[in-house]
Amino acid sequence: MTTVRPDFVIEQNWRGYSHEEHAIWRLLFERQQRLLTGRACREYLEGLGGLDVAASGIPDFRRLSDILDRATGWRIVAVPGLVPDDVFFAHLACRRFPSTCFIRRRDHLDYLQEPDIFHDICGHVPLLMNPVFADYLQAYGEGGLKALGLGHLRRLARLYWYTVEFGLIATIEGLRIYGSGILSSAGESVYCLDDPRPTRLRFDLRRIMQTRYRIDDFQQLYFVIDNFQQLFDATRPDFAPIYQEIAVLPDLEPTSRTDRDREFVDGRQKKNWAAHQRSPSLGRKRLEDVR
Ligand code: PHE
Ligand code: FE
């Protein structure tokens, strides 16, 4: 039996992947490539280009880390699955991104509860090629260790969810995706931008810390940033007093609205809204096609 190291790091065992596993990766990769032009933010697409991952199959973490390290000083470490919070934060604080090694099976291409290697690598790693985002995630790791000590992890976890996993970004070309949970999901990459149902609010740190999230369905609520620098600057202040402030306020649901909410609207959903009203079943079908 192998013992678990305290940092939970294991060997990726890249040579151990089967043809089928590499084939599943290529399938997912090609589908997302097609979908993400015009949907993912520039920083993501540039990062992906610079990494030269993976049209050919599951990447070797060592090779990938060498490229990433040269760009922003981050490396990828293999872990067996979800790791304890303190371990996760400690890795981020040291600019190490923990990634799972297993890949989803062909009969679960579109739905799984736990992150797999496609989500971790294709969803998260390209953004770490961006210097500002790279600094943000390290700061988040440090902030995580601090929040754990203060007993406010629930609030900080919401920030991760609504930015790193499900964040949207307003660009001059229109609304784009930077959240990794979306970037690794074919269905949600379309839904989050085009569907009229979810609410899109301007980034608001306190609002995010107050708001619960769902892990079992497409999001009903997204937060929109203007750029990574805004995100970095807004999260730079000491959170300790902010946690205190939020602690006395009630939790909000993704469907709750407050007077302070600033909604983000662009032409994109309006156009689709018209199509949606004319023929709802067609709209639905189109979404399901890509799931
Ligand atoms: N400024 C935060 C704190 O004092 C740390 C943090 C930075 C958290 C960036 C999240 C993201 O706790
Ligand atoms: Fe993730």
Side-chain angles (χ1 to χ4, degrees):
M1 227 198 88
T2 51
T3 48
V4 188
R5 290 174 33 169
D7 62 3
F8 282 72
V9 171
I10 58 171
E11 262 300 310
Q12 182 194 11
N13 186 22
W14 184 69
R15 305 211 162 271
Y17 290 111
S18 66
H19 286 297
E20 168 67 359
E21 288 170 322
H22 283 296
I24 293 172
W25 173 280
R26 280 195 298 271
L27 200 73
L28 290 165
F29 189 86
E30 278 154 23
R31 188 170 63 169
Q32 282 314 88
Q33 280 275 87
R34 257 199 322 277
L35 277 175
L36 290 181
T37 355
R39 296 180 188 279
C41 65
R42 175 182 50 78
E43 292 85 345
Y44 175 84
L45 294 171
E46 281 176 7
L48 193 62
L51 279 169
D52 168 43
V53 285
S56 54
I58 297 174
D60 182 343
F61 289 173
R62 246 178 303 249
R63 249 202 72 232
L64 214 53
S65 293
D66 287 341
I67 305 175
L68 186 58
D69 200 348
R70 257 178 270 131
T72 57
W74 275 78
R75 299 195 68 85
I76 300 151
V77 290
V79 292
L82 291 173
V83 299
D85 296 322
D86 60 327
V87 176
F88 180 67
F89 294 139
H91 279 304
L92 296 186
C94 296
R95 285 172 110 85
R96 287 189 300 264
F97 190 78
S99 171
T100 42
C101 302
F102 86 97
I103 190 151
R104 65 196 77 179
R105 286 178 10 198
R106 203 177 276 271
D107 50 354
H108 284 99
L109 274 198
D110 300 309
Y111 186 74
L112 66 167
Q113 283 266 359
E114 270 193 63
D116 71 341
I117 187 173
F118 184 73
H119 166 77
D120 283 336
I121 299 301
C122 244
H124 286 281
V125 171
L127 286 159
L128 291 172
M129 294 284 281
N130 179 273
V132 182
F133 192 86
D135 286 351
Y136 172 65
L137 206 59
Q138 178 188 353
Y140 185 91
E142 291 159 359
L145 294 170
K146 184 170 140 189
L148 261 178
L150 295 170
H152 285 285
L153 189 57
R154 245 162 34 95
R155 287 170 189 111
L156 189 73
R158 290 169 179 168
L159 179 64
Y160 192 85
W161 190 266
Y162 284 115
T163 62
V164 178
E165 294 291 0
F166 290 96
L168 298 180
I169 182 165
T171 78
I172 34 172
E173 284 106 41
L175 195 56
R176 294 288 183 272
I177 307 163
Y178 76 93
S180 306
I182 309 173
L183 292 165
S184 59
S185 154
E188 195 150 358
S189 337
V190 176
Y191 164 90
C192 72
L193 298 180
D194 294 358
D195 201 284
R197 283 168 291 184
T199 303
R200 299 163 186 87
L201 297 180
R202 293 271 178 192
F203 176 84
D204 178 337
L205 179 66
R206 288 168 176 78
R207 174 66 156 86
I208 288 176
M209 284 187 179
Q210 256 189 285
T211 310
R212 287 189 227 239
Y213 56 82
R214 292 183 62 159
I215 62 160
D216 60 343
D217 202 352
F218 288 173
Q219 303 300 302
Q220 295 160 298
L221 174 63
Y222 298 97
F223 285 90
V224 182
I225 61 168
D226 292 321
N227 51 61
F228 291 152
Q229 193 62 48
Q230 176 203 22
L231 181 59
F232 188 75
D233 292 342
T235 51
R236 199 199 304 266
D238 181 7
F239 282 7
I242 304 179
Y243 292 144
Q244 295 298 326
E245 226 180 274
I246 305 293
V248 302
L249 301 175
D251 275 351
L252 296 172
E253 297 301 325
T255 49
S256 313
R257 287 302 149 263
T258 76
D259 296 342
R260 279 184 41 218
D261 289 348
R262 286 191 305 144
E263 202 154 337
F264 177 90
V265 199
D266 73 357
R268 189 161 178 155
Q269 298 93 34
K270 279 214 205 92
K271 214 165 46 213
N272 283 280
W273 178 229
H276 188 84
Q277 283 174 319
R278 268 201 308 279
S279 143
S281 66
L282 230 189
R284 204 159 60 232
K285 220 178 268 155
R286 204 168 59 78
L287 256 179
E288 265 154 22
D289 285 346
V290 296
R291 255 176 220 163

